[in-house]
Amino acid sequence: MSTDHPTLAPARPRSLVHHPDFRRLWAGDALGQLGAQLTALALPIFAVQQLAATEWQMGVLTAAEYAAFLVIGLPAGAWVDRMRKRRVLIVADLVRAAVLATVVVTAATGHASIPLLIAAALVISAATVFFDVSHQSYIPGLVGLEHLVEGNSKLQATASVAQVAAPALGGLLLRVIAAPALIAVTVVTYLVSAFAVGRIRHVETPPHPDTRRPLRVEIAEGLRFVLHEPYLRRIVACTSLGNFASAMAGAVTVIYVLRTLDLGTATWGAILSAGAIGGLLGAVVAGRLAQWIGEGRIIPLSALVMAPASALMPLASTGVVPAAALLIAGGAAFGFAVIVYNVAQVSFRQRVCPPPLLGRMNASVRFIVWGSMPIGGLLGGWLGTHLGVLPTLWVSVGIMALAAVPVVVSPLLGMRDLPGAPAVDA
């Protein structure tokens, strides 16, 4: 008879639901996401319906929403790596609340204008750069590498719930209240979000000032890591082209839905919510899909879904199928694919990057993948003015198809597992 003791199975990591600091971050993120989605619904409608924005003005507004990623995206990562990330998150929330409060006041007093909305979008864009870079760099240190996928999935699920609830609720409310009233709700959600994040007790230890090197050197390290890591380079190329196409379409989408198709704001809100339901489903099943299909090949496969899904938007103008039905189906499929793709690639980025480089890596990625969006927005506004709204949407579909090429024509399609984090020199 064997005298060996039975091998005990390793204990499963405890769910992040039981992690107090993650719960606080999760609550703050949920409130911020809710407010951001209400603003994303209300601002373009306010611009189109009450300020009579043109295609070009909507393109400039779209570009302003992402301009800071192109202008300060790279140094923001190096700055964040020198700061306490929780403090950056709080300040970013407070700045966004203050700017949106200014928009509400000017709208109430009759002084709102397209230039004012563009200026507000620029400031919010800058705050969002710091928030997003800090947010993604904060997660690994807060929850540990073994909880990365769970943490990202929960945050993506929260974002998707906000995307479902906010447009549906906002679309209904816009029947009885003005768009600035919805923006006022966002001010409150950002303030409460800052309070929730402020209650996190996790203590960060930023690098000592004596260890800092020239900003140019630190920025170059983050950018070099992104460009030299072969799989990350392909993922970034795909995401950048996809975001470029999305911004191009986004510049004319509200005009297309409200003017060309003559659908009301409530229908537009319902369409956004339906698209977000697809994203919520994607967040729920992303981890299991990655295990079933493979965390490597799920990235190109989800990228392949995006172009056919986005094509349903211009096809809605044909009248063969009710426009709202096609827009709902396309939005749901696109949202599902995007969230599955994002959970997989963001988790890979966080796992493969050495912790001291996380802020700079995330900032470098954001600079490339979000920096393409203001250019796409301006091009969308220009094409909408000179070619028309519908041709602009078809051009964006073509670019979305090209976006999948870097990850489809790559080793990722045949890979089940992606590599883990590299060793870091002491």
Side-chain angles (χ1 to χ4, degrees):
M1 181 180 294
S2 172
T3 58
D4 292 339
H5 294 290
T7 301
L8 297 177
R12 295 182 62 185
R14 202 178 188 197
S15 171
L16 288 178
V17 172
H18 304 288
H19 192 301
D21 280 343
F22 179 79
R23 289 202 306 266
R24 296 180 182 108
L25 179 67
W26 199 6
D29 183 72
L31 290 165
Q33 291 285 353
L34 177 64
Q37 291 302 320
L38 288 174
T39 302
L41 173 70
L43 274 183
I45 291 175
F46 181 46
V48 170
Q49 290 193 330
Q50 298 183 35
L51 300 180
T54 65
E55 288 85 352
W56 172 246
Q57 288 174 328
M58 291 302 292
V60 175
L61 182 60
T62 300
E65 292 172 350
Y66 304 103
F69 288 96
L70 185 61
V71 177
I72 62 171
L74 284 177
W79 290 327
V80 164
D81 278 340
R82 299 177 176 187
M83 302 175 183
R84 287 183 170 86
K85 298 173 182 61
R86 183 179 71 96
R87 185 177 299 169
V88 176
L89 295 173
I90 294 169
V91 172
D93 274 339
L94 294 177
V95 168
R96 291 185 287 191
V99 170
L100 289 170
T102 302
V103 172
V104 173
V105 170
T106 55
T109 57
H111 294 91
S113 65
I114 294 295
L116 175 68
L117 291 187
I118 292 171
L122 286 170
V123 177
I124 292 172
S125 173
T128 301
V129 167
F130 284 96
F131 185 92
D132 286 356
V133 171
S134 300
H135 189 264
Q136 290 192 345
S137 304
Y138 194 39
I139 289 292
L142 185 68
V143 305
L145 294 178
E146 69 275 14
H147 286 294
L148 273 182
V149 172
E150 181 191 356
N152 286 325
S153 294
K154 280 180 165 55
L155 293 177
Q156 288 282 5
T158 301
S160 296
V161 169
Q163 290 168 1
V164 172
L169 176 64
L172 293 174
L173 288 175
L174 283 171
R175 292 181 172 183
V176 294
I177 63 175
L182 282 182
I183 302 173
V185 175
T186 303
V187 176
V188 178
T189 59
Y190 277 133
L191 291 174
V192 180
S193 173
F195 174 76
V197 174
R199 295 183 63 243
I200 293 175
R201 296 177 180 176
H202 171 72
V203 178
E204 298 174 84
T205 305
H208 194 276
D210 292 343
T211 65
R212 293 175 183 172
R213 290 162 297 159
L215 191 64
R216 177 181 55 81
V217 174
E218 296 193 347
I219 291 173
E221 283 182 344
L223 192 58
R224 189 182 305 115
F225 178 83
V226 172
L227 297 179
H228 287 185
E229 211 294 322
Y231 304 118
L232 184 55
R233 184 170 63 239
R234 289 181 176 274
I235 290 169
V236 166
C238 170
T239 310
S240 181
L241 281 172
N243 283 349
F244 179 87
S246 294
M248 181 185 297
V252 297
T253 296
V254 176
I255 290 176
Y256 174 67
V257 172
L258 298 184
R259 292 181 187 169
T260 306
L261 299 180
D262 197 25
L263 300 175
T265 55
T267 303
W268 174 231
I271 292 167
L272 293 177
S273 293
I277 289 173
L280 176 59
L281 179 60
V284 171
V285 304
R288 278 173 284 182
L289 274 180
Q291 291 178 351
W292 177 44
I293 297 174
E295 62 178 4
R297 63 177 67 101
I298 194 65
I299 293 175
L301 290 179
S302 56
L304 278 173
V305 177
M306 297 180 196
S310 63
L312 295 182
M313 179 172 287
L315 285 174
S317 66
T318 61
V320 177
V321 178
L326 278 182
L327 292 172
I328 287 171
F334 189 80
F336 178 87
V338 166
I339 296 301
V340 170
Y341 173 89
N342 279 339
V343 169
Q345 63 95 3
V346 169
S347 298
F348 167 64
R349 275 165 38 194
Q350 293 170 333
R351 192 173 67 238
V352 80
C353 182
L357 273 176
L358 275 170
R360 283 165 285 167
M361 179 277 291
N362 282 322
S364 297
V365 170
R366 290 279 176 167
F367 169 74
I368 298 170
V369 305
W370 289 79
S372 66
M373 297 186 77
I375 302 171
L378 291 175
L379 181 58
W382 186 86
L383 289 176
T385 301
H386 294 87
L387 296 182
V389 170
L390 196 58
T392 301
L393 292 175
W394 279 117
V395 171
S396 73
V397 171
I399 297 174
M400 187 68 72
L402 289 175
V405 173
V407 291
V408 171
V409 185
S410 78
L412 288 168
L413 195 59
M415 294 179 64
R416 178 164 187 85
D417 300 314
L418 288 167
V424 184
D425 295 334

